[in-house]
Amino acid sequence: MSDDAALLERRFRVMGRNAPLFYDRPVHLVRGHGVWVEDADGRRYLDVYNNVPHVGHCHPHVVEAIARQAATLNLHTRYLHETVVAYAERLTATFAEPLDAAVFTCSGTESNELALRLARYRSGGRGIIVSDFSYHGNSETLAAVTTCFPVPEPFPVFARKVPVPDPYRDRQGRDDGALGDLFAAKIAEAVRSLKAEGIPLAALLIDTLFANEGLPEPVPGYVAKAVAIVHEAGGQFICDEVQAGFGRTGDAMWGHQLSGVTPDIVTLGKPMGNGHPLAGVIAPAELIDSFGKAATYFNTFGGNPVSAAAGMAVLDVIEDEGLLENSRRVGAHVRAGLERLMARYPIIGNVRGRGLFFGIEIIADAGEKTPDPALTKRLVNMMRDRGVLLSRIGRYDNILKMRPPMVFTTADADLLLATLDNALAAL
Amino acid sequence: MSDDAALLERRFRVMGRNAPLFYDRPVHLVRGHGVWVEDADGRRYLDVYNNVPHVGHCHPHVVEAIARQAATLNLHTRYLHETVVAYAERLTATFAEPLDAAVFTCSGTESNELALRLARYRSGGRGIIVSDFSYHGNSETLAAVTTCFPVPEPFPVFARKVPVPDPYRDRQGRDDGALGDLFAAKIAEAVRSLKAEGIPLAALLIDTLFANEGLPEPVPGYVAKAVAIVHEAGGQFICDEVQAGFGRTGDAMWGHQLSGVTPDIVTLGKPMGNGHPLAGVIAPAELIDSFGKAATYFNTFGGNPVSAAAGMAVLDVIEDEGLLENSRRVGAHVRAGLERLMARYPIIGNVRGRGLFFGIEIIADAGEKTPDPALTKRLVNMMRDRGVLLSRIGRYDNILKMRPPMVFTTADADLLLATLDNALAAL
């Protein structure tokens, strides 16, 4: 047995005792391949959590691209380089007009910071609307508008939070139109409230998949209605694709495409470089040009040749291995399996998600839909002990979060479903 | 000839026309090795500018570490991993007590954002003092306190800017003590001004080498005096080591060690991963623990196994190749050569810097010390045409910025000096 306790103690000393760590018994990982990771004792785990290794842990095509470029040149974008331009061209080509230019950064945090600066520059306002159960980054401004976990910063006077519709709990007899209107009215209320305090709206910042909110089934038209109100108020719609992007949902390259609304600004992160710190902002060239003139925005590591090579290799693999189609097909297979489990286990309140991002809601009482976060936590740890890595999300922390690398197969899905069945039976 | 014009036009279209780019004729680089980079036409340039490839472009030890770890595992710090703990231990061991813990990030921006959050959390205040010619990052908060180039954001009500002493222009008969006191009084004035508006001080955020300010010769005791005032007001001293750190000055691993003052919080960036996006914050474990409890700070890419392996490899090379000693020795050689040039060319107002970070100030009139930014710009472009990459800094944009990779040799230095002589003679 490896001495994980000693490693943990050393970590506490030099990285702090409160740096986030998964599971009651932390996992000490040493290698990964495809959808599998292995701990220091040689035990293998099926990774049903990580979207950072988007095309699979240590995908050889991405590793080779990184290694080759790191050995050739790694500088910044104040010199010309072919790869970063070609990557920006290929990436922006996956977006609808007028989203035709890219600024590269190192993280979702940096992307959302830049998006807010762009939105405030364009709108002249400072007001920000976020969902009431969201997270968009760890900088001071983004931390302050975090609504899904406690932060020391006060919620800013320039921000408002709105609930997003979750049909499982909010429908209460309403049809889709009425449900969408109900929540759009809350956006309008937030705009009015900001205006009343003399704060013009700059942006609505949301993830249209509402991942942190717990992956609610989408209410048709809700996003379009909300964005119309935002545009009417002079604000920009910033779509955070850090979780939904790069084909995760199986039905589209970008989550916002499912809502039928083209954002004003899109932010990218986690899956973009398969683990290499690469992120970005997609916006109209006209906006980026105008802002760039006023702001001299420069990001030292953003879009360096190695990052661009990594990003390009990820796009290669998504295409070459048909990962959108895989996400759609395997996702549907998982969903059907989860629905079969729901029919057998009354603690599963519902099944949610699309493509390779799915969840089940754990409840204590089917009639009242009472969330059971303690049981959900126990289930997460039981799955870890059974060799499957996943986590939980949602307002009540009672939704299993399952978001495996995009190379997840139906065989992997069957192993997940069998293990989940086994854990549920053992509760 | 490669078609740089076409590449530039493509870049303008997808990355914006105002993304920063060096030189009147941008350089299209394709490979790098040691202190050399090569353009698409096979022309080689001596790199006297870049501190990102700190231990040399594409250093094989760092490349090998990145390639090996990228092929093994690349996840985040919510699992245990030996390398990131060992790297944190080795890195923090280079700092004086109580700087004994590390939080890893992806960029200097993220590091300074976290440092400000830590300082505000610890102090309970919001006030920030920066130098009046500085830059610490591209997030909205850090952009707003930028004082060395224009930004669209208004300078915040919670911030004050103070001039830093430059003996070349500010001495005016004062001895070191009087000069230090003069500028310390401006720190005290900033503290009072914040207090008068009900804004308690959170932090003084400076680079003790004052790189953007133009590398003024240090005024003995100035930093200690300023920090004493900041501490007295309940603020934290954040030292930005993004430019001065990792042995750059030759005389110490960290720039602040030359000032004899141990900061409360240190921020690291650019040179840390030799181009791999790696950065961090060093602070007392007690502060990080306390903040971590209140804030659940997590940085997805920060301190991932590949980043940690890159950082570790950089420390290996600094030690194995004696790069501190090299910086000190070659830096002294360059400085002597620059002083010989100054004796021959009256447009060189003075020579500044230490270790492998040095500058010469270009002036139009020796008596009045009139800065000549236009001539400086011309010189930068002439050096580029002669195969030497450098840039310019300082309040008047008239100081040649020379900051080569740390493997710069005396032969490289002689080439730089001869080329500079040639360019100066051709003016």
Side-chain angles (χ1 to χ4, degrees), chain A residues 103 105-116 267-269 279-281:
Chain A
V103 180
T105 69
C106 303
S107 67
T109 294
E110 287 193 345
S111 296
N112 284 320
E113 277 282 342
L114 174 57
L116 284 181
T267 57
L268 309 175
V281 172

Side-chain angles (χ1 to χ4, degrees), chain A residues 17 107 110 120 140 289, chain B residues 17 107 110 120 140 289:
Chain A
R17 306 193 80 85
S107 67
E110 287 193 345
R120 285 174 162 177
E140 204 200 37
D289 279 350
Chain B
R17 304 192 82 85
S107 67
E110 287 194 345
R120 284 174 163 177
E140 204 200 37
D289 279 349

